[in-house]
Amino acid sequence: MAKRDYYEVLGLEKGASEADIKKAYRRLAMKYHPDRNPDDEEAETRFKEVKEAYETLSDPEKRAAYDQFGHAATEGGGFGGAGGFGGAAGAEAFSDIFGDVFGDIFGGGGRRGRSRVFRGADLRYRMDVDLEQAVHGDTVKIRIPSHSECGSCNGSGGAPGSQPRSCDTCGGVGQVRMQQGFFSVQQTCPKCRGEGRIISDPCKQCGGRGRVREEKTLSVRVPPGVDDGDRIRLGGEGEPGENGGPSGDLYVEINVRPHPIFERDGNNLVCEVPVNFAVLALGGQVEVPTLDGKVNLKIPAGTQSGKLFRLRGKGVEPVRGGPPGDLLCRVMAETPVKLTREQKELLQKFADSLESGGERHSPKTSSWLEKARRFFEDLS
């Protein structure tokens, strides 16, 4: 049967780049690999066809000859047949394609046999701040657990005077070779965990880890405008890496403590202001606190309890910039308590005088009573 065009086999155009050829080969070789398709003769045939096409098109000289003469350029043993891996060059190309894949799957560190480098874990710290600190910004010192080099063994992990020995399983390279089908791949040595050495007499202070736990103090800059749940990232302040790997990061999560006066609603602040009912009726001014100091709030005559007043710009400036929010003040009528007999008598006379005025003095009460009357009429 006539051979298919190599570009067609890989699903490529004739002018495909080297990267496209490598990518197509990797995808198809993994798809039709015999280990993934046991007892599938068609898949095995396709696998060999894909490998043969790649061995030619991945070599600039072979590809140039193939582009000029077609399959005639590869016949007669000139560039190696489809059987095997096409010599050392083919094996090296095959290893380059799959080395990183199986290295990740089986924990290998490539063909060099080095100990693997691990990045340290990220840490999270929940930091309590006051509302004033969140709104205006601050610098807060925190103490977090950390690791440092063991002073007893100077980081070696062995007891003073002892020396680590070479791992007899991997020969000190930190890697062992294992067979997966007809692939030969490397993985981290299970005995020494990639270190290449065994500590037979571990340090008593650090337990052979070469580092000890301690606490360190960090200064965290809280930017103005942060809100509850926001996170601040401190790069490299997490767990230290292994085998010289980089440290992880520390994520500081903001927890804003409840405030005795204000509640935050986005970039606005909300507070309730108790006001004497006489001030609501006659009008006047009340002193209102803000995070920047005190201000006077003007109360118009006849203000109802629960009315919301807005003080613009007295809220929170967004952490990412923009105009500040507002302070929303809800005035609440305060019912007087512990009245004297004289005060009760005066208040009763005042209430009697209001009743004579009817809707004029209590428009909401009159409206509500009318709605209630209609409601009961509809029920009957």
Side-chain angles (χ1 to χ4, degrees), residues 111-190:
R111 296 186 301 276
R112 298 172 177 82
R114 296 178 179 174
S115 298
R116 295 190 68 186
V117 172
F118 294 94
R119 179 182 181 273
D122 292 336
L123 298 178
R124 188 180 71 172
Y125 182 90
R126 189 173 176 86
M127 184 174 71
D128 295 333
V129 297
D130 295 328
L131 179 62
E132 290 85 350
Q133 292 175 299
V135 172
H136 298 304
D138 198 1
T139 298
V140 181
K141 292 186 181 297
I142 62 174
R143 292 183 63 81
I144 63 169
S146 180
H147 290 90
S148 64
E149 185 179 274
C150 176
S152 178
C153 65
N154 295 323
S156 68
S162 67
Q163 293 292 331
R165 59 181 175 84
S166 178
C167 177
D168 52 8
T169 299
C170 64
V173 298
Q175 304 286 323
V176 293
R177 187 173 294 277
M178 66 178 294
Q179 197 76 19
Q180 294 290 322
F182 66 87
F183 290 111
S184 180
V185 297
Q186 288 181 330
Q187 69 173 23
T188 302
C189 176

Side-chain angles (χ1 to χ4, degrees), residues 32-272:
Y32 295 115
H33 192 276
D35 283 354
R36 290 191 169 187
N37 304 274
D39 303 323
D40 189 337
E41 294 184 1
E42 182 179 355
E44 184 177 358
T45 300
R46 292 293 300 274
F47 178 76
K48 292 179 179 180
E49 186 180 37
V50 167
K51 182 172 65 64
E52 180 182 344
Y54 177 72
E55 288 176 358
T56 298
L57 299 183
S58 63
D59 186 298
E61 294 183 3
K62 294 180 182 180
R63 181 180 181 182
Y66 176 77
D67 288 345
Q68 185 173 2
F69 300 107
H71 289 297
T74 63
E75 294 175 354
F79 297 130
F85 286 96
E92 180 70 17
F94 187 86
S95 180
D96 285 343
I97 287 290
F98 292 101
D100 55 342
V101 175
F102 289 101
D104 290 340
I105 294 175
F106 300 108
R111 296 186 301 276
R112 298 172 177 82
R114 296 178 179 174
S115 298
R116 295 190 68 186
V117 172
F118 294 94
R119 179 182 181 273
D122 292 336
L123 298 178
R124 188 180 71 172
Y125 182 90
R126 189 173 176 86
M127 184 174 71
D128 295 333
V129 297
D130 295 328
L131 179 62
E132 290 85 350
Q133 292 175 299
V135 172
H136 298 304
D138 198 1
T139 298
V140 181
K141 292 186 181 297
I142 62 174
R143 292 183 63 81
I144 63 169
S146 180
H147 290 90
S148 64
E149 185 179 274
C150 176
S152 178
C153 65
N154 295 323
S156 68
S162 67
Q163 293 292 331
R165 59 181 175 84
S166 178
C167 177
D168 52 8
T169 299
C170 64
V173 298
Q175 304 286 323
V176 293
R177 187 173 294 277
M178 66 178 294
Q179 197 76 19
Q180 294 290 322
F182 66 87
F183 290 111
S184 180
V185 297
Q186 288 181 330
Q187 69 173 23
T188 302
C189 176
K191 187 172 184 179
C192 67
R193 298 182 180 181
E195 293 292 334
R197 59 178 189 161
I198 300 294
I199 299 175
S200 55
D201 187 12
C203 171
K204 291 182 174 57
Q205 183 172 344
C206 66
R209 292 183 294 272
R211 54 185 185 177
V212 293
R213 181 174 288 272
E214 62 178 11
E215 283 194 342
K216 64 179 179 181
T217 302
L218 297 175
S219 293
V220 182
R221 190 184 71 82
V222 180
V226 296
D227 201 355
D228 195 68
D230 286 349
R231 296 198 306 173
I232 301 172
R233 174 179 168 271
L234 301 180
E237 296 294 351
E239 288 281 1
E242 296 183 18
N243 298 329
S247 298
D249 299 330
L250 173 64
Y251 289 90
V252 179
E253 184 175 321
I254 300 297
N255 178 53
V256 182
R257 300 186 186 96
H259 196 273
I261 297 177
F262 302 106
E263 290 185 4
R264 183 167 175 177
D265 181 14
N267 294 323
N268 295 328
L269 295 176
V270 183
C271 71
E272 287 190 354

